[in-house]
Amino acid sequence: MLKTEFYTGTFILLSVIISLISADAVFEEKKNDTSVKTVDNDTFVFYVNYTGSDKPCIIARFSAAFQITYLAQNGSSTTHSSVVNMTKPDKYSGSCMEQNNTLKITFRDQWILEMTYSNHKSEYALTRAKLTYKIDSDLFPNATNLGLNDAENTELSEFNVIVGKSYKCYSLSKIDLNQNVTIDFRNYQAQALIKADTKTEGFDTAVECVADIVGSNKLVPIIIGIVLIVLVALVLVAYVIGRRRYRPTYQQV
Ligand SMILES: *[C@@H]1O[C@H](CO)[C@@H](O)[C@H](O)[C@H]1NC(C)=O
Ligand SMILES: *[C@@H]1O[C@H](CO)[C@@H](O)[C@H](O)[C@H]1NC(C)=O
Ligand SMILES: *[C@@H]1O[C@H](CO)[C@@H](O)[C@H](O)[C@H]1NC(C)=O
Ligand SMILES: *[C@@H]1O[C@H](CO)[C@@H](O)[C@H](O)[C@H]1NC(C)=O
Ligand SMILES: *[C@@H]1O[C@H](CO)[C@@H](O)[C@H](O)[C@H]1NC(C)=O
Ligand SMILES: *[C@@H]1O[C@H](CO)[C@@H](O)[C@H](O)[C@H]1NC(C)=O
Ligand SMILES: *[C@@H]1O[C@H](CO)[C@@H](O)[C@H](O)[C@H]1NC(C)=O
Ligand SMILES: *[C@@H]1O[C@H](CO)[C@@H](O)[C@H](O)[C@H]1NC(C)=O
């Protein structure tokens, strides 16, 4: 009996120590995701500043591609679809209101991507995105309706995070604007609703999307931790049941 208790005790202690170490490793990695660095050629960085100040309310870094369905003439009238990457911005601007911050990016001459982050209680999210795009014969082969179009979604709730933190998702995030336009964000990290005069550069602690956590080896320590906790629970339950089962025998003696 004493031997079993000794083994169980040692096992529990070891499990707790290992779980604590794994949790710490995960936390440690998160604290590092604060620099606003570009990842490749297609990734762009944006600082939207308060009026008359060089302090930002939005810091964002991402690459974007747009999947666009359009009407084309190929014998008969059909719909085709093209994927168009965001290119180096011609210019960008934005606004820093108390309840919402907007980023407006102009690229490919007349294309415009607008993103609005809104505050809700202690959190903020991307709540609106609008793309103005130009159907031309280069990017949209055999297109019939050439010219400017737009697609907007004002009911989004993406990249949700607590004010004072950034949101990071290097994996693909798909956002539908309407039935014809989908935005593919990659290498995304952004922080909005940054209070006036608090910072000039660098993100605060990042909350990561599930795909990033699953896609990296960060999941391994988490799984080991969970498996150990389950094992400990099972051993404890078996131990308690074992003791109860034998009690009547003791009472009869
Ligand atoms: C965090 O960053 C520092 C320096 O930037 C580096 O020395 C350290 O190894 C990083 N930690 C992790 C867990 O990546
Ligand atoms: C960036 O673009 C340049 C030329 O456009 C190319 O030579 C280079 O390989 C690209 N780098 C990456 C990381 O894609
Ligand atoms: C905001 O200020 C930073 C300097 O802190 C500057 O690099 C950046 O271009 C400014 N953003 C805009 C949109 O003017
Ligand atoms: C989507 O595109 C089709 C033409 O391809 C057009 O008829 C339709 O109105 C568009 N839908 C929206 C929501 O813009
Ligand atoms: C454009 O239409 C022509 C016929 O009108 C067809 O031969 C060609 O393959 C089409 N091109 C594309 C990219 O769909
Ligand atoms: C255009 O039509 C031809 C014949 O109908 C078809 O073989 C071809 O794949 C079509 N092109 C596109 C891009 O859909
Ligand atoms: C668009 O971006 C993707 C991924 O970043 C890349 O593989 C592709 O070659 C790009 N397309 C063009 C036309 O630049
Ligand atoms: C942003 O906030 C202002 C004032 O609080 C409001 O008038 C405006 O409609 C909001 N814009 C969006 C896109 O939510």
Side-chain angles (χ1 to χ4, degrees):
M1 202 65 216
L2 253 175
K3 235 181 178 176
T4 321
E5 275 170 353
F6 174 72
Y7 284 134
T8 315
T10 312
F11 185 68
I12 292 176
L13 197 68
L14 276 178
S15 312
V16 168
I17 290 171
I18 293 174
S19 306
L20 282 179
I21 292 172
S22 344
D24 200 48
V26 170
F27 191 64
E28 187 62 38
E29 282 205 55
K30 274 192 182 174
K31 279 198 294 201
N32 263 13
D33 299 328
T34 56
S35 76
V36 189
K37 56 183 188 299
T38 53
V39 180
D40 57 35
N41 276 348
D42 293 337
T43 318
F44 306 105
V45 172
F46 306 95
Y47 286 85
V48 175
N49 302 325
Y50 284 93
T51 322
S53 154
D54 63 353
K55 300 280 206 286
C57 65
I58 301 179
I59 305 176
R61 190 270 330 279
F62 55 79
S63 60
F66 308 96
Q67 283 184 49
I68 300 171
T69 305
Y70 62 99
L71 221 51
Q73 190 73 36
N74 177 15
S76 65
S77 182
T78 49
T79 56
H80 285 190
S81 104
S82 283
V83 177
V84 179
N85 291 350
M86 187 165 95
T87 52
K88 192 174 176 353
D90 302 325
K91 61 175 196 253
Y92 73 93
S93 60
S95 68
C96 298
M97 280 185 274
E98 204 178 327
Q99 292 304 319
N100 59 50
N101 300 164
T102 297
L103 169 61
K104 183 174 173 182
I105 307 162
T106 307
F107 59 103
R108 287 186 184 281
D109 194 19
Q110 292 182 67
W111 289 51
I112 301 168
L113 174 64
E114 270 183 83
M115 298 161 72
T116 302
Y117 293 88
S118 302
N119 189 207
H120 179 65
K121 294 186 181 152
S122 60
E123 299 189 349
Y124 66 91
L126 176 69
T127 53
R128 170 183 167 264
K130 178 178 178 183
L131 180 71
T132 304
Y133 58 103
K134 189 179 174 190
I135 302 276
D136 60 30
S137 45
D138 268 357
L139 297 168
F140 303 92
N142 290 352
T144 46
N145 301 331
L146 301 181
L148 288 173
N149 283 278
D150 55 49
E152 181 174 21
N153 190 335
T154 57
E155 314 219 307
L156 295 172
S157 181
E158 300 286 338
F159 310 133
N160 238 73
V161 66
I162 294 171
V163 173
K165 291 191 182 207
S166 63
Y167 188 96
K168 170 180 163 297
C169 198
Y170 277 21
S171 312
L172 171 66
S173 307
K174 278 189 173 299
I175 296 180
D176 290 332
L177 297 191
N178 64 20
Q179 67 197 79
N180 294 330
V181 179
T182 300
I183 309 180
D184 291 350
F185 284 108
R186 284 192 183 77
N187 298 316
Y188 178 96
Q189 187 165 2
Q191 182 168 358
L193 278 301
I194 300 170
K195 301 248 179 325
D197 294 332
T198 53
K199 60 164 64 227
T200 46
E201 56 185 292
F203 294 117
D204 283 312
T205 312
V207 168
E208 299 185 80
C209 61
V210 175
D212 276 14
I213 297 173
V214 172
S216 67
N217 57 11
K218 287 172 209 171
L219 195 65
V220 175
I222 298 177
I223 289 178
I224 293 176
I226 292 173
V227 167
L228 283 176
I229 289 167
V230 169
L231 270 180
V232 168
L234 283 179
V235 168
L236 270 179
V237 167
Y239 176 69
V240 168
I241 290 176
R243 283 198 90 165
R244 285 216 177 131
R245 193 169 287 165
Y246 286 114
R247 201 168 288 154
T249 332
Y250 293 140
Q251 282 165 353
Q252 275 166 17
V253 168

